[in-house]
Amino acid sequence: MTTAAPPIPARSSVPHFRTLRDLSAGQLRDLLALGERLAAGRPPEPDPRPLAGRSVALIFEKNSTRTRVSFEVGVHQLGGFPIFLSESDTQMGRGEPLRDTARVLSGYVDGIMIRTYEQETVEELARFSRVPIINGLTDLYHPCQLLADLLTMQQEFGAGRLGELRVAWFGDGNNMANSWLNAAAMLGFELRLAVPEGFDPDPETLERARGETSVLLTRDPKEAARGAHVFNTDVWASMGQEEEAEDRSAHFRPFQVDEELLALGAEDAIFLHCLPAHRGEEVTEGVLEGDRSRVFQEAENRLHGQKALLVHLLG
Ligand code: CP
Ligand code: NVA
């Protein structure tokens, strides 16, 4: 007979970042303001090294370039010590339960970031951890990426205009699309998603956002593009979907962001992509490298947005 593992009593005051919704709209705005200050080269105040003497575990069950490096560098710049853990060389890869890992790591580190498959894995860690849990991407959400994307929008259009913008999403209703739904609902901007049938965003996330802001789900990319200030797309096959890539691309081809589609947007429209991008698939080379593209500023903002998050959670 198995018995339920006794959790270490939860410290209800521990904040987590499982989805953007773990922040209030006000906290999100404050965090973006701090991110903008950090991006401008101003250190956190009053303490420029608020993570001094602290350690953060970074667990990766999927590949990463941006998330890994921006977290490692970000923790270091704030005075802390980042510890990279891959599934393959820890006991997690040999089946040690997450609930045990969460309780063990809570005794050593001050925060845990995890990139994994199921959102439930992040929730389970949070249930058993005594330190903040940060979602570094699941199949359902990628909230750290949204911090960078929103920061880029704010740098471009100003904080005061965020709630007035129209954001367009093209392609898969995936973890990024779901996170955009949360962001739109929290900041009040309009979101238009052009998604092929069968690839809609998470129904619960969609319904909740629809109750809070203007959301249009369409099969027509032009309808989403018209007047949009921000154009966004992502790969057609996310991590874990590699075997379906060929089959999926047939559905997504009409949703490519090209120069013609971008021309339907607002005069000052920008193009964002979380990267890595597949040129010639979800976006043309011309758009990705063109004068409306902000993708490398966006990638740099991963560092600034996450440092603001670390200050909020651990500082
Ligand atoms: N955008 C993003 O999360 O990139 P990585 O997969 O390289 O971390
Ligand atoms: N939707 C993509 C995002 C990568 C940063 C994926 O999950 O693979």
Side-chain angles (χ1 to χ4, degrees), residues 160-200:
R161 276 186 74 196
L162 280 186
E164 301 161 13
L165 299 175
R166 178 178 294 173
V167 175
W169 175 264
F170 303 91
D172 196 10
N174 62 10
N175 44 9
M176 282 299 304
N178 293 329
S179 297
W180 273 105
L181 281 162
N182 281 342
M186 291 171 72
L187 295 178
F189 57 80
E190 181 183 353
L191 184 63
R192 297 189 166 193
L193 304 123
V195 175
E197 208 161 346
F199 298 93
D200 286 350

Side-chain angles (χ1 to χ4, degrees), residues 182-256:
N182 281 342
M186 291 171 72
L187 295 178
F189 57 80
E190 181 183 353
L191 184 63
R192 297 189 166 193
L193 304 123
V195 175
E197 208 161 346
F199 298 93
D200 286 350
D202 173 60
E204 269 180 43
T205 308
L206 178 64
E207 279 325 298
R208 185 170 175 197
R210 273 185 161 148
E212 293 165 292
T213 193
S214 169
V215 177
L216 174 80
L217 180 64
T218 174
R219 311 296 174 212
D220 175 8
K222 289 186 176 147
E223 193 182 10
R226 277 186 207 105
H229 300 95
V230 180
F231 282 64
N232 249 291
T233 188
D234 189 10
V235 290
W236 293 339
S238 284
M239 288 181 274
Q241 298 173 329
E242 287 79 4
E243 281 173 17
E244 304 162 30
E246 206 178 308
D247 186 46
R248 295 170 69 89
S249 67
H251 296 272
F252 289 116
R253 209 153 283 288
F255 294 80
Q256 182 188 65

Side-chain angles (χ1 to χ4, degrees), residues 87-107:
E87 195 195 15
S88 58
D89 49 30
T90 58
Q91 298 290 5
M92 282 176 287
R94 295 178 59 245
E96 182 166 17
L98 268 170
R99 53 178 58 188
D100 293 0
T101 303
R103 285 174 287 179
V104 170
L105 290 182
S106 292

Side-chain angles (χ1 to χ4, degrees), residues 12 15 25-26 34 44 52 55 75 84 117 138 176 182 204 221 239 248 264 278 286 296 315:
S12 55
L34 176 57
S55 302
V75 170
F84 171 77
Y117 292 85
T138 64
M176 282 299 304
N182 281 342
E204 269 180 43
M239 288 181 274
R248 295 170 69 89
L264 296 175
H278 292 174
F296 296 107

